[in-house]
């Protein structure tokens, strides 16, 4: 018979610190699934297209950094054990996206955003506050965030050069996963945020995308 380990507050803080380091340090994450890009041909692109795609993938990488922080913050303050476990499981799945984007960025000869630590801290705080309010709000925030991510992914898929099948394969799989996360959060009882809240979240997302496209 196996028993589930119960972590103390100090244990959880140490685990959060470890998760932050694995998210922010280059090439420190280990994906659970191989990148969809490995099955696609490496087609040459113009310098302009390469820089543009690198910028788009940098935005998506920072989005995954924010997702990691959001889930970790919510897991820290979630009241119900099953909600905490769901947040931690979702964070594990998002690691795939984080690593896939990072790999593609470096294949394109570019770099991840230097602003990632700032966005990680902000997202962790938002997630922790949402968890403190209620698990219903926390799950609702996940759903609203994932819907926002899917919107950006759709926009980026439209902007990709036709020949860039590697980036397209990554973003298409990410969209499938994010849609599943959003549906799961709502099915678990997540609060459906009203339009004004979603609009505010959209404005914050625009700040992130504009600032991380180049830096």
């Amino acid at each position: 018979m196996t028993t589930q380990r119960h972590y103390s507050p100090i244990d959880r803080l140490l685990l959060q610190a470890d998760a932050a380091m694995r998210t922010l340090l280059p090439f420190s994450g280990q994906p659970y699934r191989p990148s969809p890009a490995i099955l696609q041909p490496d087609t040459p692109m113009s310098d302009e297209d390469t820089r543009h795609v690198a910028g788009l993938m940098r935005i998506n990488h920072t989005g995954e950094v924010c997702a990691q922080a959001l889930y970790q913050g919510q897991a820290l303050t979630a009241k119900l054990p099953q909600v905490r476990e769901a947040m931690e499981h979702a964070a594990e799945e998002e690691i795939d996206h984080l690593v896939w984007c990072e790999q593609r960025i470096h294949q394109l000869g570019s770099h991840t955003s230097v602003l990632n630590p700032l966005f990680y801290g902000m997202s962790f705080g938002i997630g922790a506050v949402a968890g403190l309010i209620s698990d219903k709000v926390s799950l609702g925030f996940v759903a609203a965030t994932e819907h926002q991510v899917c919107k950006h992914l759709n926009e980026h898929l439209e902007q990709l050069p036709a020949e860039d099948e590697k980036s397209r394969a990554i973003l298409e799989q990410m969209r499938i996963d994010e849609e599943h996360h959003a549906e799961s959060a709502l099915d678990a009882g997540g609060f459906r945020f009203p339009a004004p809240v979603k609009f505010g979240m959209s404005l914050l997302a625009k700040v992130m995308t504009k600032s991380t496209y180049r830096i």
Side-chain angles (χ1 to χ4, degrees):
M1 179 178 178
T2 59
T3 57
Q4 183 178 3
R5 180 178 177 183
H6 295 281
Y7 294 102
S8 70
I10 297 299
D11 289 333
R12 291 197 171 278
L13 287 174
L14 291 174
L15 289 171
Q16 298 298 336
D18 178 68
M21 295 297 289
R22 286 187 286 110
T23 299
L24 296 172
L25 291 178
F27 300 109
S28 57
Q30 294 296 322
Y32 294 86
R33 297 170 292 175
S35 171
I38 63 175
L39 299 177
Q40 304 302 324
D42 190 4
T43 307
M45 295 186 291
S46 67
D47 291 344
E48 181 180 359
D49 282 346
T50 299
R51 285 193 296 271
H52 179 55
V53 173
L56 296 180
M57 296 306 290
R58 184 160 41 249
I59 290 171
N60 291 311
H61 180 268
T62 298
E64 295 305 320
V65 168
C66 293
Q68 282 291 310
L70 179 67
Y71 284 129
Q72 296 295 345
Q74 290 170 315
L76 183 66
T77 57
K79 296 171 178 61
L80 295 175
Q82 60 267 34
V83 173
R84 181 181 298 114
E85 291 170 5
M87 295 297 179
E88 291 171 347
H89 178 66
E92 290 176 357
E93 292 185 344
E94 297 283 0
I95 289 174
D96 288 349
H97 304 169
L98 186 78
V99 176
W100 297 347
C101 289
E102 183 178 19
Q103 290 172 344
R104 185 61 182 146
I105 289 168
H106 286 278
Q107 288 171 359
L108 295 166
S110 193
H111 58 85
T112 56
S113 177
V114 298
L115 300 176
N116 282 344
L118 171 63
F119 285 113
Y120 186 96
M122 291 172 58
S123 300
F124 185 90
I126 292 172
V129 169
L132 283 172
I133 294 172
S134 75
D135 288 335
K136 187 178 181 69
V137 168
S138 185
L139 289 166
F141 199 87
V142 168
T145 299
E146 298 292 23
H147 286 146
Q148 186 68 46
V149 170
C150 288
K151 178 182 176 182
H152 283 296
L153 289 172
N154 287 332
E155 292 172 354
H156 290 179
L157 282 165
E158 292 179 358
Q159 296 181 46
L160 287 179
E163 62 269 29
D164 187 6
E165 297 181 48
K166 284 186 174 293
S167 298
R168 186 173 303 280
I170 292 171
L171 298 189
E172 286 177 344
Q173 184 59 53
M174 286 173 60
R175 181 175 60 185
I176 292 171
D177 294 342
E178 306 295 9
E179 288 174 347
H180 174 70
H181 290 163
E183 292 170 2
S184 296
L186 291 175
D187 289 344
F191 178 71
R192 293 182 182 272
F193 285 5
V197 175
K198 292 181 179 179
F199 178 73
M201 293 175 64
S202 178
L203 291 179
L204 289 175
K206 286 183 178 180
V207 172
M208 185 273 283
T209 56
K210 293 292 185 182
S211 59
T212 59
Y213 178 77
R214 297 187 186 281
I215 59 172

